[in-house]
Amino acid sequence: MTSCHIAEEPIKKIAIFGGTHGNELTGVFLVKHWLENGAEIQRTGLEVKPFITNPRAVKKCTRYIDCDLNRIFDLENLGKKMSEDLPYEVRRAQEIYHLFGPKDGEDSYDIIFDLHNTTSNMGCTLILEDSRNNFLIQMFHYIKTSLAPLPCYVYLIEHPSLKYATTRSIAKYPVGIEVGPQPQGVLRADILDQMRKMIKHALDFIHHFNEGKEFPPCAIEVYKIIEKVDYPRDENGEIAAVIHPNLQDQDWKPLHPGDPMFLTLDGKTMSLGGDCTVYPVFVNEAAYYEKKEAFAKTTKLTLNAKSIRCSVH
Amino acid sequence: MCSLPVPREPLRRVAVTGGTHGNEMSGVYLAQHWLQAPAELQRLSFSAVPVLANPAATAACCRYVDHDLNRAFTSSFLNSRPTPDDPYEVTRARELNQLLGPKASGRAFDFVLDLHNTTANMGTCLIAKSSHEVFAMHLCRHLQLQYPELSCQVFLCQRSGEESYNLDSVAKNGLALELGPQPQGVLRADIFSRMRTLVATVLDFIELFNQGTAFPAFEMEAYRPVGVVDFPCTDAGNLAGTVHPQLQDRDFQPLQPGAPIFQMFSGEDLLYDEESTVYPVFINEAAYYEKGIAFVQTEKFTFTVPAMPVLNPVPSPTS
């Protein structure tokens, strides 16, 4: 059987977003640095544009001004009539959409990398929105292999109700890059180095692809979101228990039924019920207290990608 | 400088304050818990009062609303005439001064314990004003002896000639517990539990003192600030680099001249170019970026703490 590969169009325009959340500093400072000196992110034949998506939040070093920019790139918000009364981030989303989108438009961006940090111990994480995207699975496989032995995890947020309308989703190939743990408002050199390496490998992959390299079929392990788990709360809605010390910092590690999840202020342990092992992520993310998410349960599965090659060669 | 004498009477009026910075979660959750269930703050000879110091910042989960509350307790802020435009925290500082002070008066609380977290790797840090605070020094020593595994470090924050500005300075005696590393807005079980245990031990110490326990003189080692170092910036005023991996997380460890302190985005290292070894603390504390502080330089020194007066034991409530 001849090798069945997907012939993809060459990649022409890439954007790298930082500051979608203004207090996640690695992306903010990488983008600001590249705006002054972009040599590191240039590749022949590619336009790579670094961009600060939420400048007001960056200036205030806060996650957002009115609402979370990374949740509002849905049709309803993008379609609202522009007015001063709209939340800042909704107006900003529309500006970003006009600059970088729409998907499959003539001048739109092929790939958007959106740079994030988390307070959770998630290490280097790539976020995938579509399980059937051969090109991105191949890219992620390349990044993971290049980073090894440094672990790099893939989080799949494809889900009928839990998937959210991200800033990067306006591109044909949206890539979330999440590195932690890093406190909000802090810039750590080690985390910066890891994110920088992830971007370098991603750009190298795209460059090799454009040059005509064929990437053979591959498989990657991914963690697919099942459900979000809130903190136990009291009758006033206040948090009544903390992430248990056994679960704290254990992102990506198996959590079995009966394993501790939460510790109440009175010292009682609350354990995982049901009969399935899950893989928790975003364990104790600061920004998710208000979203009522203590951690997300994921299941581990393998995604396969067909061979790909740039159609121009 | 007004150095109040060592207590010669039992300490009766004691407060524990959390949420002085609304995003330092150990103190926020402890204060909120104790406001509902204060039993664990009770001792035979006194009960500590829990206080949520900055309710507006706590509700918004931010450090402060208008002005850092833990810098608002100078006489200039506390004693100037209130106006409608006063920053929230200045008004609140005056309220706390009424509740727990007035600062430097005979009516002030006997002791205030203020709870903090830091993003820096400072472990269990005990912050007092100066080596002259005899009661606080004995308390620190007690905590160090009770929890040798924690390696509690003592940081004496007041620089000479400078007026105290922090919350626990309104009381006759005070101490701050600074536990890290913990991100802002995050509640870690291990740090929460350690904070709670330390508070209990502080109250136990006050009870021991009130009951006439003797605390003899001893030698104490502590750290005091000698300067601060800011982040490197571009001409435009943007950050040009960050704390070097060899300095990151090394709070209280010696920093020698010539050692790398910053890693620039362009790749090169900036070296520490001062002349003496210092002990950096608050390395890469999130809240200090806006104060122009990448780390605080401290020197280590040793001093003698005199014995405390031994009180007559407090009569038992039931005789």
Side-chain angles (χ1 to χ4, degrees), chain A residues 25 29-30 32-33 36-37 40 119 182-190 192-193 196 231 236 238-245 248-249 263-267 284-287 289, chain B residues 25 29-30 32-33 36 40 119 182-190 192-193 196 231 234 236 238-245 248-249 263-267 284-287 289:
Chain A
L25 295 192
F29 285 100
L30 279 174
K32 283 190 180 188
H33 173 65
E36 286 194 22
N37 183 354
E40 178 186 345
T119 59
Q182 180 169 271
Q184 298 168 341
V186 168
L187 186 64
R188 285 184 65 103
D190 51 2
L192 186 92
D193 189 61
R196 217 165 183 167
Y231 291 95
N236 301 320
E238 299 296 329
I239 288 178
V242 189
I243 293 281
H244 194 279
Q248 180 67 49
D249 302 332
L263 188 63
T264 70
L265 267 54
D266 303 324
N284 212 347
E285 159 56 53
Y289 282 54
Chain B
M25 305 309 280
Y29 276 90
L30 281 171
Q32 289 176 334
H33 173 67
Q36 302 300 319
E40 86 195 52
T119 60
Q182 180 171 268
Q184 298 169 339
V186 167
L187 181 65
R188 284 184 66 103
D190 51 2
F192 177 80
S193 155
R196 198 174 186 174
F231 290 95
T234 65
N238 286 317
L239 221 52
T242 194
V243 172
H244 196 277
Q248 180 68 51
D249 301 334
Q263 191 168 73
M264 308 299 271
F265 299 140
S266 44
N284 217 346
E285 158 57 53
Y289 280 54

Side-chain angles (χ1 to χ4, degrees), chain A residues 173-246:
Chain A
Y173 297 119
V175 177
I177 294 186
E178 184 93 49
V179 186
Q182 180 169 271
Q184 298 168 341
V186 168
L187 186 64
R188 285 184 65 103
D190 51 2
I191 301 278
L192 186 92
D193 189 61
Q194 287 172 27
M195 192 178 281
R196 217 165 183 167
K197 286 187 164 112
M198 292 172 79
I199 287 284
K200 172 195 162 5
H201 295 314
L203 295 177
D204 288 346
F205 169 84
I206 296 160
H207 178 70
H208 291 321
F209 170 79
N210 277 359
E211 297 281 290
K213 183 180 158 88
E214 175 165 344
F215 292 88
C218 71
I220 56 170
E221 193 173 75
V222 308
Y223 295 80
K224 179 176 170 159
I225 186 167
I226 310 171
E227 71 172 309
K228 298 181 180 178
V229 179
D230 189 12
Y231 291 95
R233 292 175 188 269
D234 62 21
E235 49 296 345
N236 301 320
E238 299 296 329
I239 288 178
V242 189
I243 293 281
H244 194 279
N246 290 19

Side-chain angles (χ1 to χ4, degrees), chain A residues 127-138 140 154-159 163 174 218 220 222-224 301-306:
Chain A
I127 307 184
L128 183 65
E129 304 197 4
D130 172 10
S131 58
R132 285 160 305 177
N133 193 317
N134 286 289
F135 179 80
L136 285 183
I137 294 169
Q138 288 280 3
F140 287 14
V154 179
Y155 180 40
L156 175 64
I157 60 168
E158 187 179 62
H159 187 282
K163 182 168 172 173
C218 71
I220 56 170
V222 308
Y223 295 80
K224 179 176 170 159
L301 56 101
T302 303
L303 292 185
N304 294 289
K306 299 185 172 59

